[in-house]
Structures are given as structure tokens and as C-alpha cells.
Amino acid sequence: MPEPPAPFDRPRSPEPAEPFEKPRSPEPPVSRQAPPLPEPEPSGPEPRSPAQRFDPTPQASPDAVLIRRTMAEVGPVADKVTSYFYALLFVRHPDLRPLFPAAMDTQRDRLLKALLTAAEHIDNTPVLVDYLQNLGRGHRKYGTRPEHYPAVGECLIGSLSRFASAIWDAETEAAWVRAYTTISQVMIDAAAADELRAPAWWYAEVVAHDLRTPDIAVITVRPDQPYPFLAGQYTSLETPWWPRIWRHYSFASAPRSDGLLSFHVKAVPAGWVSNALVHRARPGDIIRLGPPAGSMTVDHTTDSGLLCLGGGTGIAPIKALVEDVAEHGERRPVEVFYGARTDHDLYDIDTMLRLQQSHPWLAVRPVVDQRAHLHLPDAVREYGPWNEYDAYLSGPPGMIRSGVDALRAAGIPSDRIRHDSVEELVAAGD
């Protein structure tokens, strides 16, 4: 295949500066090498993709038509496209292979998915730019540099041209080149701008490890410098035991005056990071945090009620939202439905009930499947009406999907329903 046209070769932004000093800790420092690519995290919430917030542009551009035609062609063989993409990348650019995790199985389709998601929405400029800027900022922690992007674009085109050969022509390739050039430049520029105001990552020391159940821990950490975030947001987290493996976790409280951050972590079968955090981490250990992200935050310019659905450890960001409303001195109604399979899974119910006792505007309703034979979305339907509420959902993918359907049926418009990306939650908690 011929080399890609010139737009791949000239990113404008300078190379990011070196991250700040290593942690002052007896723990071995976490590796600074990481995937140099625009790849959504292999687990946990991610900034919502454009499709979750806006409808596609009614009149598609010629490039968008060609891109979507390509995606329809390669869709049935997506696994082969992904495998071939990485084979090309590592054969043509072997210097990049050591930057990836040793085991590729947990992340192998994430890079291609990010690129294809962005390309599919190439016409929806405002939403696309927001999506890509979040990715660009978030991927500073990988050590991403502008010169890595041409290699990715070259291998993306190579893989697509092979598996969409029946429809591939010069016009289609030119459309993909233009799309990728736009995608990569937005990410590069966002990373360069973010470098002026924030570090690529924060080191944080574990200061408390509270094992609530045999497989759920509440972990509190102290960042090595101020960490700004909003209640309802999340971060990516890397442990010293699995370098270059990042997982997303929501903050379990609103910003605190002491600067401490808390996370609720459930160990899942074969989950590298989650098992390390629950069963291995102890006070004094050093982890790394990426930048905060996510839009599941409270709009304090309105007085709408909040309808919050939290399933399992998804109660963590819901608790943060409740604290945020309380700290702003508001008395808007907040209804929390706390879902669990068993009573044992209501590991934070005491905390939520104490909040309810302190705030008359808060109602907490535990919903236990095995006791009530009632799933969380079904329980929500029994209350209401909810048409004047803003809704927030956090939990397993199935709960998110059914919850969104139930809320829409209850009269809540889609633009007033906020939740983590269902697609990125499929592998949540690894």
C-alpha cells in the first residue's frame, strides 16, 4: 500500500514536556511508558460518545457517506480488522510495541473503536470536537506524542483498505485521510493546551483501605498535588503491579477540604487492576491518576429535582452528587434508588441512610432483586412522576440500558438523562 498523503506527516503541536518527578515512596515507581494511541480505556466510564447525546447530522457530507460505507463493509469482520491493524503497527513500527501492556487481550479493540466512533461522527463538528478533546487530554498520561499519530493513521488506512477492498478506491482513501487528519489534530491541540494547565498524571498515596465485603473495598488516596474535579466525574487509575494498565473509577465523594479522594472498587474474576486494589493495595502504596473526566455532574443553575439510580459500586458517584447538592445549600428534591442483587451487596447503605437523616430533601430507596423480585428500573416506575427531574444512572451496563428505557417511558427527555458510556462499561471493573 502506498504511504498516506502528506496531512499525516505534519502535526502542529510541540512534543509534550516530561512529566513531573517520581513519587517519594519506597514503592517502585510506576512505569512511565504507555500506549501512545487515542484509545478509550478498556473499562469503566468514558466521555459519552457523540451518538449518546445527539442525533447524527441529517444531511451527510460526501466524506461521511464514504466512511460509513467502509464501516458497514468491515463491520462483520471487525476482529480481523483489529488484529491486522495491530500486526501492521507492530511490524512497521516495532519501536511502539514495548509501549503497550504485555497482554493485549484487554484492550485490543479499543483503539480502532475510538477512531471509528470519531470518524462516523465526522459531520457533527461541535460534538466530535468535544469527544476528541477529552480523548486527547486523557491520553497525555500514556506519554502520547504528536509523532505517534502518523503511524496510527498509516496502519488504520492499511487495515481498512485490506478488509474493505471490494469498495475501496482513491476517493474513499482520501476521505479517511481527511477524517483522520482532523481527528488527530484536534487531539494533539487539546493535549498541548492541557499541558499548560495540568500535569499528565498525578501520583497518589493510599492512606486508607476499608474492605467492606470480601470483594469490595473503599480506597482513599492523597494526591501529591491538588486534584481538581467535580462530583459525578471519574478518573483513570494505574497500579504499580500492572504498569500501563489503566481502569476507570468514579469519585465516591464531592471534592473535600482535605484533598483526599475515595473510590469504591469491586474485585471481579480475572480483573487485574480491581483484584490488585481490593486484595493487594495497602496504605503507603503509590498509584497514578489520570485527569478527571465525565459530564454526569449537577447543573446548579436550575432547581430541577435529581433522580439517581445507582447499582452496585455505581452508588459511589451518586453519593458524590448528593454531597454536592448538600454543599451548595440547595433544597431541591433528590431521589436515590440504590439497587443490589442481595442485601450483602448494599455495602454502602448505612452511609446513604445517614445522609438521608441529615437532609430532609433526600430520599434513599434500597431495591434488592432477590428480596423484592423487582429490578431497579421496575421500582422506579412505581414512583414519580419524574418528568420534572434530571436523571443520573451509574452501574452495570444492563442496568444502564434498562434504566434509560424506563426513564424515557416515564417522560424524562433523553437530554436530561446522564450516565456513563454503556459501550465502555461492558468490560467495567477489570
Side-chain angles (χ1 to χ4, degrees), residues 341-408:
R341 291 189 299 272
T342 67
D343 288 316
H344 170 79
D345 296 319
L346 292 173
Y347 68 93
D348 209 33
I349 188 62
D350 289 343
T351 302
M352 297 305 299
L353 291 178
R354 283 196 297 271
L355 286 170
Q356 178 179 249
Q357 290 175 351
S358 302
H359 306 297
W361 42 261
L362 172 64
V364 177
R365 308 180 193 279
V367 180
V368 180
D369 290 351
Q370 291 186 5
R371 175 151 43 89
H373 303 289
L374 193 66
H375 294 294
L376 188 57
D378 300 319
V380 173
R381 292 189 191 99
E382 295 190 357
Y383 294 86
W386 305 117
N387 53 302
E388 297 298 324
Y389 280 69
D390 294 330
Y392 298 81
L393 299 90
S394 181
M399 190 217 85
I400 299 288
R401 294 189 184 98
S402 59
V404 169
D405 291 341
L407 294 174
R408 285 173 177 164

Coordinates of all heavy atoms in Angstrom, one line a residue, residues 341-408:
R341 N -28.2 -6.9 44.1 CA -28.8 -8.3 43.9 C -29.2 -8.9 45.2 O -30.2 -9.6 45.3 CB -27.8 -9.2 43.2 CG -27.5 -8.9 41.7 CD -26.6 -9.9 41.1 NE -25.4 -10.1 41.8 CZ -24.3 -9.3 41.4 NH1 -24.4 -8.5 40.4 NH2 -23.1 -9.5 42.1
T342 N -28.4 -8.6 46.2 CA -28.7 -9.2 47.6 C -28.5 -8.1 48.6 O -27.9 -7.0 48.3 CB -27.8 -10.4 47.9 OG1 -26.5 -9.9 48.1 CG2 -27.9 -11.4 46.8
D343 N -29.0 -8.3 49.8 CA -28.7 -7.4 50.9 C -27.2 -7.2 51.1 O -26.7 -6.1 51.5 CB -29.3 -7.9 52.2 CG -30.9 -7.8 52.2 OD1 -31.4 -6.7 51.8 OD2 -31.5 -8.7 52.6
H344 N -26.4 -8.3 50.9 CA -25.0 -8.2 51.1 C -24.4 -7.2 50.2 O -23.4 -6.6 50.5 CB -24.4 -9.6 50.8 CG -22.9 -9.7 50.7 ND1 -22.1 -9.7 51.8 CD2 -22.1 -9.7 49.6 CE1 -20.9 -9.7 51.4 NE2 -20.8 -9.7 50.1
D345 N -25.0 -6.9 49.0 CA -24.4 -6.0 48.0 C -24.7 -4.6 48.4 O -24.2 -3.7 47.7 CB -24.9 -6.3 46.6 CG -24.5 -7.7 46.2 OD1 -23.3 -8.0 46.4 OD2 -25.3 -8.4 45.5
L346 N -25.5 -4.3 49.4 CA -25.8 -2.9 49.8 C -24.7 -2.5 50.8 O -25.0 -2.1 51.9 CB -27.2 -2.8 50.4 CG -28.4 -3.1 49.5 CD1 -29.7 -3.1 50.3 CD2 -28.5 -1.9 48.5
Y347 N -23.5 -2.5 50.3 CA -22.4 -2.3 51.2 C -22.3 -0.9 51.7 O -21.6 -0.6 52.8 CB -21.1 -2.7 50.5 CG -20.7 -1.7 49.3 CD1 -19.9 -0.6 49.6 CD2 -21.3 -1.9 48.1 CE1 -19.7 0.3 48.5 CE2 -21.0 -1.0 47.1 CZ -20.2 0.1 47.3 OH -20.0 1.0 46.3
D348 N -22.9 0.1 51.1 CA -22.8 1.5 51.5 C -24.2 2.1 51.9 O -24.3 3.3 52.0 CB -22.2 2.3 50.4 CG -21.4 3.5 50.9 OD1 -20.8 3.4 51.9 OD2 -21.5 4.6 50.2
I349 N -25.1 1.2 52.3 CA -26.4 1.6 52.6 C -26.4 2.5 53.9 O -27.2 3.5 54.0 CB -27.4 0.5 52.7 CG1 -28.8 1.0 52.9 CG2 -27.0 -0.5 53.9 CD1 -29.3 1.8 51.7
D350 N -25.6 2.1 54.9 CA -25.5 2.9 56.1 C -25.1 4.4 55.8 O -25.7 5.3 56.4 CB -24.6 2.3 57.1 CG -25.1 1.0 57.7 OD1 -26.3 0.7 57.5 OD2 -24.3 0.2 58.2
T351 N -24.2 4.5 55.0 CA -23.7 5.9 54.6 C -24.9 6.7 54.0 O -25.1 7.8 54.3 CB -22.5 5.9 53.7 OG1 -21.5 5.1 54.3 CG2 -22.1 7.3 53.3
M352 N -25.6 6.0 53.1 CA -26.7 6.7 52.3 C -27.8 7.0 53.3 O -28.4 8.1 53.2 CB -27.2 5.8 51.2 CG -26.1 5.6 50.1 SD -25.4 7.1 49.4 CE -26.8 7.9 48.7
L353 N -28.1 6.1 54.2 CA -29.2 6.4 55.2 C -28.8 7.5 56.1 O -29.7 8.3 56.6 CB -29.5 5.1 55.9 CG -30.2 4.0 55.1 CD1 -30.5 2.8 55.9 CD2 -31.5 4.5 54.5
R354 N -27.5 7.6 56.5 CA -27.1 8.8 57.4 C -27.3 10.1 56.6 O -27.7 11.1 57.2 CB -25.7 8.6 57.8 CG -25.5 7.6 58.9 CD -24.1 7.7 59.6 NE -23.0 7.4 58.6 CZ -22.5 6.2 58.4 NH1 -23.0 5.2 59.1 NH2 -21.5 6.0 57.6
L355 N -27.0 10.1 55.3 CA -27.2 11.3 54.5 C -28.7 11.6 54.5 O -29.1 12.8 54.6 CB -26.7 11.1 53.1 CG -25.2 11.1 52.9 CD1 -24.8 10.6 51.5 CD2 -24.6 12.5 53.2
Q356 N -29.5 10.6 54.4 CA -31.0 10.9 54.3 C -31.5 11.5 55.7 O -32.3 12.4 55.7 CB -31.7 9.6 54.1 CG -33.2 9.7 54.1 CD -33.9 8.4 53.8 OE1 -34.5 8.2 52.8 NE2 -33.8 7.4 54.7
Q357 N -30.9 11.0 56.8 CA -31.3 11.6 58.1 C -30.9 13.0 58.2 O -31.5 13.8 58.9 CB -30.7 10.7 59.2 CG -31.3 9.4 59.3 CD -30.5 8.5 60.4 OE1 -29.5 8.9 60.9 NE2 -31.1 7.3 60.7
S358 N -29.8 13.4 57.6 CA -29.3 14.8 57.7 C -29.9 15.8 56.7 O -29.9 17.0 57.0 CB -27.8 14.8 57.4 OG -27.1 13.9 58.3
H359 N -30.6 15.3 55.7 CA -31.1 16.1 54.6 C -32.5 15.8 54.3 O -32.8 14.7 53.7 CB -30.2 16.1 53.4 CG -28.8 16.3 53.6 ND1 -28.3 17.5 54.1 CD2 -27.7 15.5 53.5 CE1 -27.0 17.5 54.2 NE2 -26.6 16.2 53.9
P360 N -33.5 16.6 54.7 CA -34.9 16.2 54.5 C -35.3 16.2 53.0 O -36.3 15.6 52.7 CB -35.6 17.4 55.3 CG -34.7 18.5 55.4 CD -33.3 17.8 55.5
W361 N -34.5 16.8 52.2 CA -34.9 16.8 50.7 C -34.4 15.5 50.1 O -34.7 15.3 48.9 CB -34.3 18.0 50.0 CG -32.9 18.3 50.5 CD1 -32.5 19.3 51.4 CD2 -31.6 17.7 50.0 NE1 -31.1 19.3 51.5 CE2 -30.6 18.3 50.7 CE3 -31.4 16.6 49.2 CZ2 -29.2 18.0 50.5 CZ3 -30.0 16.3 49.0 CH2 -29.0 16.9 49.7
L362 N -33.7 14.6 50.8 CA -33.2 13.4 50.2 C -34.0 12.2 50.6 O -34.3 12.0 51.8 CB -31.7 13.2 50.7 CG -31.0 11.9 50.3 CD1 -30.9 11.7 48.8 CD2 -29.7 11.8 51.0
A363 N -34.3 11.3 49.6 CA -35.0 10.0 49.9 C -34.1 8.9 49.3 O -33.7 9.0 48.1 CB -36.4 10.0 49.3
V364 N -33.8 7.9 50.1 CA -33.0 6.8 49.7 C -33.9 5.5 49.7 O -34.4 5.2 50.7 CB -31.8 6.6 50.5 CG1 -31.0 5.4 50.1 CG2 -30.9 7.8 50.5
R365 N -34.0 4.8 48.6 CA -34.8 3.7 48.5 C -34.0 2.5 48.0 O -33.7 2.3 46.8 CB -35.9 3.9 47.5 CG -36.7 5.2 47.7 CD -37.8 5.4 46.7 NE -38.4 6.7 46.8 CZ -39.3 7.2 47.6 NH1 -39.7 6.4 48.5 NH2 -39.7 8.4 47.6
P366 N -33.6 1.6 48.9 CA -32.9 0.4 48.5 C -33.8 -0.6 47.7 O -35.0 -0.7 48.1 CB -32.4 -0.3 49.8 CG -33.1 0.4 50.9 CD -33.8 1.7 50.4
V367 N -33.3 -1.2 46.7 CA -34.1 -2.1 45.9 C -33.2 -3.4 45.7 O -32.2 -3.4 45.0 CB -34.4 -1.5 44.5 CG1 -35.2 -2.5 43.6 CG2 -35.1 -0.2 44.6
V368 N -33.6 -4.4 46.4 CA -32.9 -5.7 46.4 C -33.6 -6.7 45.5 O -34.7 -7.1 45.8 CB -32.7 -6.2 47.8 CG1 -31.9 -7.5 47.8 CG2 -32.0 -5.2 48.7
D369 N -33.0 -7.1 44.4 CA -33.6 -8.0 43.5 C -34.2 -9.3 44.2 O -35.3 -9.7 44.0 CB -32.7 -8.4 42.4 CG -32.4 -7.3 41.5 OD1 -33.0 -6.2 41.6 OD2 -31.4 -7.4 40.6
Q370 N -33.3 -10.0 44.9 CA -33.7 -11.3 45.5 C -34.8 -11.2 46.6 O -35.5 -12.1 46.8 CB -32.5 -12.0 46.0 CG -31.5 -12.4 45.0 CD -30.3 -13.2 45.5 OE1 -30.3 -13.6 46.7 NE2 -29.4 -13.6 44.7
R371 N -34.9 -10.0 47.2 CA -35.9 -9.9 48.2 C -37.2 -9.4 47.7 O -38.3 -9.9 48.1 CB -35.4 -8.9 49.3 CG -36.4 -8.5 50.4 CD -35.7 -8.2 51.7 NE -34.6 -7.3 51.5 CZ -34.6 -6.0 51.5 NH1 -35.8 -5.4 51.6 NH2 -33.5 -5.2 51.4
A372 N -37.2 -8.5 46.8 CA -38.4 -7.9 46.2 C -38.8 -8.5 44.9 O -39.9 -8.3 44.4 CB -38.3 -6.4 46.1
H373 N -37.9 -9.3 44.3 CA -38.2 -9.8 43.0 C -38.5 -8.7 42.0 O -39.4 -8.8 41.2 CB -39.3 -10.9 43.0 CG -39.0 -12.0 43.9 ND1 -38.1 -13.0 43.7 CD2 -39.6 -12.3 45.1 CE1 -38.0 -13.9 44.7 NE2 -38.9 -13.5 45.6
L374 N -37.8 -7.6 42.2 CA -38.1 -6.4 41.4 C -36.8 -5.8 41.0 O -35.9 -5.5 41.8 CB -38.9 -5.4 42.3 CG -39.6 -4.3 41.6 CD1 -40.7 -4.7 40.7 CD2 -40.2 -3.3 42.7
H375 N -36.6 -5.5 39.7 CA -35.4 -4.9 39.3 C -35.5 -3.4 39.4 O -36.6 -2.8 39.5 CB -35.1 -5.3 37.8 CG -34.9 -6.7 37.6 ND1 -33.7 -7.3 38.1 CD2 -35.5 -7.7 36.9 CE1 -33.7 -8.6 37.7 NE2 -34.8 -8.8 37.0
L376 N -34.4 -2.8 39.5 CA -34.3 -1.3 39.7 C -35.2 -0.5 38.8 O -36.0 0.4 39.3 CB -32.8 -0.9 39.7 CG -32.6 0.6 40.1 CD1 -33.0 0.8 41.6 CD2 -31.0 0.8 40.1
P377 N -35.1 -0.6 37.5 CA -36.0 0.2 36.7 C -37.5 0.0 36.9 O -38.3 0.9 36.9 CB -35.6 -0.3 35.2 CG -34.3 -0.8 35.4 CD -34.2 -1.5 36.7
D378 N -37.9 -1.3 37.3 CA -39.3 -1.5 37.6 C -39.7 -0.8 38.9 O -40.8 -0.2 39.0 CB -39.5 -3.0 37.8 CG -39.2 -3.8 36.6 OD1 -39.5 -3.4 35.5 OD2 -38.5 -4.9 36.7
A379 N -38.8 -0.7 39.8 CA -39.1 0.0 41.1 C -39.3 1.5 40.8 O -40.2 2.2 41.4 CB -38.0 -0.2 42.1
V380 N -38.5 2.1 39.9 CA -38.6 3.5 39.6 C -39.9 3.8 39.0 O -40.5 4.9 39.3 CB -37.4 3.9 38.7 CG1 -37.6 5.3 38.2 CG2 -36.1 3.7 39.3
R381 N -40.5 2.9 38.2 CA -41.8 3.2 37.6 C -42.9 3.3 38.6 O -43.9 3.9 38.3 CB -42.1 2.0 36.6 CG -41.2 1.9 35.4 CD -41.7 0.9 34.4 NE -40.8 0.6 33.3 CZ -39.9 -0.4 33.3 NH1 -40.0 -1.3 34.3 NH2 -39.1 -0.6 32.3
E382 N -42.7 2.7 39.8 CA -43.8 2.7 40.8 C -43.9 4.0 41.5 O -44.8 4.3 42.2 CB -43.5 1.6 41.8 CG -43.7 0.2 41.2 CD -43.7 -0.9 42.2 OE1 -43.5 -0.6 43.4 OE2 -43.8 -2.1 41.8
Y383 N -42.8 4.9 41.4 CA -42.9 6.2 42.0 C -43.0 7.2 40.9 O -43.3 7.0 39.7 CB -41.6 6.4 42.8 CG -41.5 5.5 44.0 CD1 -40.9 4.2 43.9 CD2 -41.9 5.9 45.2 CE1 -40.8 3.3 44.9 CE2 -41.8 5.0 46.3 CZ -41.3 3.8 46.2 OH -41.2 2.9 47.3
G384 N -42.8 8.5 41.3 CA -42.9 9.6 40.3 C -44.1 10.5 40.5 O -44.6 10.4 41.6
P385 N -44.4 11.3 39.6 CA -43.9 11.4 38.2 C -42.5 12.0 38.2 O -42.1 12.7 39.1 CB -44.9 12.3 37.5 CG -45.4 13.2 38.6 CD -45.5 12.3 39.8
W386 N -41.7 11.7 37.1 CA -40.3 12.1 37.0 C -40.1 13.1 35.9 O -38.9 13.4 35.6 CB -39.4 10.9 36.8 CG -39.6 9.8 37.8 CD1 -40.1 8.6 37.6 CD2 -39.3 9.9 39.2 NE1 -40.1 7.8 38.8 CE2 -39.6 8.6 39.8 CE3 -38.8 10.9 40.0 CZ2 -39.4 8.4 41.1 CZ3 -38.6 10.6 41.4 CH2 -38.9 9.4 41.9
N387 N -41.1 13.6 35.3 CA -40.9 14.5 34.1 C -40.2 15.8 34.4 O -39.7 16.5 33.5 CB -42.2 14.7 33.4 CG -43.3 15.3 34.3 OD1 -43.6 14.7 35.3 ND2 -43.8 16.4 33.9
E388 N -40.2 16.2 35.7 CA -39.5 17.5 36.1 C -38.2 17.2 36.7 O -37.6 18.1 37.3 CB -40.4 18.2 37.1 CG -41.8 18.7 36.5 CD -41.6 19.6 35.3 OE1 -40.6 20.4 35.3 OE2 -42.4 19.5 34.4
Y389 N -37.7 16.0 36.6 CA -36.4 15.6 37.2 C -35.3 15.5 36.2 O -35.5 15.1 35.0 CB -36.5 14.3 37.9 CG -37.2 14.4 39.3 CD1 -38.5 14.7 39.4 CD2 -36.5 14.2 40.5 CE1 -39.1 14.8 40.7 CE2 -37.1 14.3 41.7 CZ -38.4 14.6 41.8 OH -39.0 14.7 43.1
D390 N -34.1 15.7 36.6 CA -32.9 15.3 35.8 C -32.4 14.0 36.4 O -32.4 13.8 37.6 CB -31.7 16.3 36.0 CG -32.0 17.7 35.4 OD1 -32.8 17.7 34.4 OD2 -31.5 18.7 35.9
A391 N -32.1 13.1 35.5 CA -31.8 11.7 35.9 C -30.4 11.4 35.8 O -29.7 11.8 34.8 CB -32.7 10.7 35.1
Y392 N -29.9 10.6 36.7 CA -28.5 10.2 36.7 C -28.4 8.7 37.0 O -29.0 8.2 37.9 CB -27.7 10.9 37.8 CG -27.6 12.4 37.7 CD1 -28.7 13.2 38.0 CD2 -26.5 13.0 37.1 CE1 -28.7 14.6 37.9 CE2 -26.5 14.4 37.0 CZ -27.5 15.2 37.3 OH -27.5 16.5 37.2
L393 N -27.7 7.9 36.1 CA -27.6 6.5 36.2 C -26.1 6.1 36.3 O -25.3 6.6 35.5 CB -28.2 5.8 35.1 CG -29.7 6.0 34.8 CD1 -29.9 7.2 33.9 CD2 -30.3 4.8 34.2
S394 N -25.8 5.2 37.2 CA -24.5 4.6 37.3 C -24.5 3.2 37.8 O -25.2 2.9 38.8 CB -23.6 5.5 38.3 OG -22.3 5.0 38.4
G395 N -23.9 2.3 37.1 CA -24.0 0.9 37.4 C -23.6 0.0 36.3 O -23.0 0.4 35.3
P396 N -24.0 -1.3 36.4 CA -23.6 -2.2 35.3 C -24.3 -1.9 34.0 O -25.4 -1.2 34.0 CB -24.2 -3.6 35.8 CG -24.3 -3.4 37.3 CD -24.6 -1.9 37.5
P397 N -23.8 -2.3 32.9 CA -24.3 -1.9 31.5 C -25.8 -2.3 31.4 O -26.6 -1.5 30.9 CB -23.5 -2.7 30.6 CG -22.2 -2.9 31.3 CD -22.5 -3.1 32.7
G398 N -26.2 -3.5 31.9 CA -27.6 -3.9 31.7 C -28.5 -3.0 32.5 O -29.6 -2.6 32.0
M399 N -28.1 -2.5 33.7 CA -28.9 -1.6 34.4 C -29.0 -0.3 33.7 O -30.1 0.4 33.7 CB -28.3 -1.4 35.8 CG -29.2 -0.7 36.8 SD -28.3 0.4 37.9 CE -28.1 1.9 36.9
I400 N -27.9 0.2 33.1 CA -28.0 1.5 32.4 C -29.0 1.4 31.3 O -29.8 2.3 31.1 CB -26.6 1.8 31.9 CG1 -25.6 2.0 33.1 CG2 -26.6 3.1 31.1 CD1 -25.8 3.2 33.9
R401 N -28.9 0.4 30.5 CA -29.7 0.2 29.3 C -31.2 0.2 29.7 O -32.0 0.9 29.2 CB -29.4 -1.0 28.5 CG -28.0 -1.0 27.9 CD -27.8 -2.2 26.9 NE -26.5 -2.2 26.4 CZ -25.5 -3.0 26.8 NH1 -25.7 -3.7 27.9 NH2 -24.3 -2.9 26.3
S402 N -31.5 -0.7 30.7 CA -32.9 -0.8 31.1 C -33.4 0.4 31.8 O -34.6 0.8 31.7 CB -33.1 -2.1 31.9 OG -32.3 -2.0 33.1
G403 N -32.5 1.1 32.5 CA -32.9 2.3 33.2 C -33.2 3.4 32.3 O -34.1 4.2 32.5
V404 N -32.4 3.6 31.3 CA -32.6 4.6 30.3 C -34.0 4.4 29.6 O -34.8 5.4 29.5 CB -31.5 4.7 29.2 CG1 -31.9 5.6 28.0 CG2 -30.2 5.2 29.8
D405 N -34.3 3.2 29.3 CA -35.6 2.9 28.6 C -36.7 3.2 29.6 O -37.7 3.8 29.2 CB -35.7 1.4 28.3 CG -34.7 1.0 27.1 OD1 -34.3 2.0 26.4 OD2 -34.4 -0.1 26.9
A406 N -36.6 2.8 30.9 CA -37.6 3.1 31.8 C -37.8 4.6 32.1 O -39.0 5.1 32.2 CB -37.3 2.4 33.2
L407 N -36.7 5.4 32.1 CA -36.8 6.8 32.3 C -37.5 7.5 31.1 O -38.3 8.4 31.3 CB -35.5 7.4 32.6 CG -34.8 6.9 33.9 CD1 -33.4 7.4 34.1 CD2 -35.7 7.3 35.1
R408 N -37.1 7.1 29.9 CA -37.7 7.7 28.8 C -39.2 7.4 28.8 O -40.0 8.3 28.4 CB -37.1 7.1 27.5 CG -35.7 7.7 27.2 CD -35.1 7.0 26.0 NE -33.8 7.6 25.7 CZ -32.9 7.0 24.9 NH1 -33.1 5.8 24.4 NH2 -31.7 7.6 24.7

